[in-house]
Each structure stands twice: as C-alpha cells, then as structure tokens.
Amino acid sequence: MSQATLESDHVSRLLKSSTLLNLLLATQLIAGLVYAYFTGDMGSRWTHFVLPFIWFTASLWVIWHTRPGTTRRAYRLGAALVVALYLIVMFYFSGLLGPSTSHFGQLTGPSGFGITWGRSLGWSPVFVYTGDLITVSLIPYQAVGLFALAYLVYDALLDFSQSAVGGIVGIVACPACVSPLFAVLLAGGLSGSSTMLLLGAYGYEIATVLFLMTIGILYHRQALTRQYHQFRGN
C-alpha cells in the first residue's frame, strides 16, 4: 500500500473520529439543556454545566477505543485485583465511597438505595446506597471518569507484562490518575491564601484539565513508546 493511500486512510479515520466525537458531545449538551429547561437546574456557572459532558465524552471515547491485550490468565487476574483496589481507593478519597452513615437514612429507606436530584445533568441524579458498613454516593460523571481511568490502568498493567517500556509509561502516568480527586480539596480552599482561594474557586476546572491530560497520556502511551524508541535510535 502506498504512502499516499495510508495518509488518506489516516485522514479519513481522523475526520470520522472527530465527527463522532463532536456528535457525542453535542448530543449530551442538548440533553443537558433540555434537562435544565424542565428542571431549572443549570449549575452555578456555565463551566460546571459543561464539565460533566467533557468527562463523559472523553471517558466513553477511550473505553470504546481501548482493547486490552491478550496475556496469561495470571497477569489478567493480577491486573484486575490491582485495579479493583485502585478503584476502591479512588472512590474513597473522592468522597464517592465512605463508612456507613445515617445521613441518607430518610433518602434510602429500608432498602438502602436512593436517588437524589437538584443539580444539573451529569452532577445528578446521584445514586446512593447505605449499608451496615459502607455508603456509596455515585455522582455520574465522576464515577464514569474513574472507571475510565481504571480501565486504562488495567490496559497499562497488561502492557507491562509484554512490553517493559510501554508498561512503564503507563505506570509512571498512574500517580497522575489521582489528579481528579483534587477537585474536592481545591473547591474547598484549604487555606486563606489568595492562591488557594483562586484554585478553590476553579478546582473542578483544574481537575478536568488534569483528568484529560492523564487519560491522554495513558491512552497514547503506545505512541509515546514509539517516540521513545525513535529518540533512542537517534
């Protein structure tokens, strides 16, 4: 196949991907506007209205286009256990998972399950479960984003069993996977300094940028690996 044909196919795939990505985001925005029209819940500012749809779009995109490699069952099981622990830790520090509490008792009732509304689409509906040991409150866009990160980490761990460089790139990126958790801390303003207050006011926006950078590194780590080899070759 000629170089011109390869480049043409690449451009065609890029245009198709861009079109589908824009349609996915546009559909969510329209749904959010319709929801806001009927409920009056638009968010405190327009960025808070848009952020969930950015997380949804990026998360669904990388999940759809990521195909974990095939490797030995022991590696797959080990990677799954590590990712399960990773998700539990992420959910806990993000506030989506915590010890049992009676605060949601009126909402969940005897079944332990409940749904809360009152915020713009993506921030709600929040699915709540309260049991004897734990309480789970799933904010939709955050939960989907953390699952997407976990899926990419799982893929990176499988790569580690096959390609040292590719896996290392994924592992090095993993500490940045906790970056979305800073949203809650930043939004609270941890100190009285003007810097922290500024970061706090835009904590969710900063966390979104960090989230996109993180999944970008993890998703494109194969390309980063090739660039690494080219750099070593030079």
Side-chain angles (χ1 to χ4, degrees), residues 2 10 13 24 35 39 42-43 73 78 83 111 127 155 209 223-224:
S2 66
H10 177 73
R13 289 195 299 269
L24 178 61
Y35 178 86
T39 64
M42 191 70 181
R73 183 178 180 181
V83 167
S111 67
F127 302 91
D155 188 40
V209 173
L224 294 175

Side-chain angles (χ1 to χ4, degrees), residues 102-117 126-130 136-137:
S102 60
H103 293 165
F104 296 110
Q106 293 183 345
L107 172 66
T108 58
S111 67
F113 293 92
I115 299 177
T116 65
W117 302 84
V126 178
F127 302 91
V128 179
Y129 166 76
T130 298
V136 181
S137 53

Side-chain angles (χ1 to χ4, degrees), residues 4 16 18 38 50 55-56 59 76 85 96 108 126 139 147 149 154 156-157 161 191 197 212 216 221 224:
K16 182 179 179 180
S18 300
F38 285 104
V50 173
W55 281 58
F56 281 136
S59 299
R76 296 198 304 271
L85 178 60
L96 302 183
T108 58
V126 178
I139 300 174
F147 273 112
L149 283 171
Y154 174 75
L157 290 173
S161 67
S191 70
L197 291 175
L212 294 176
R221 68 184 182 279
L224 294 175

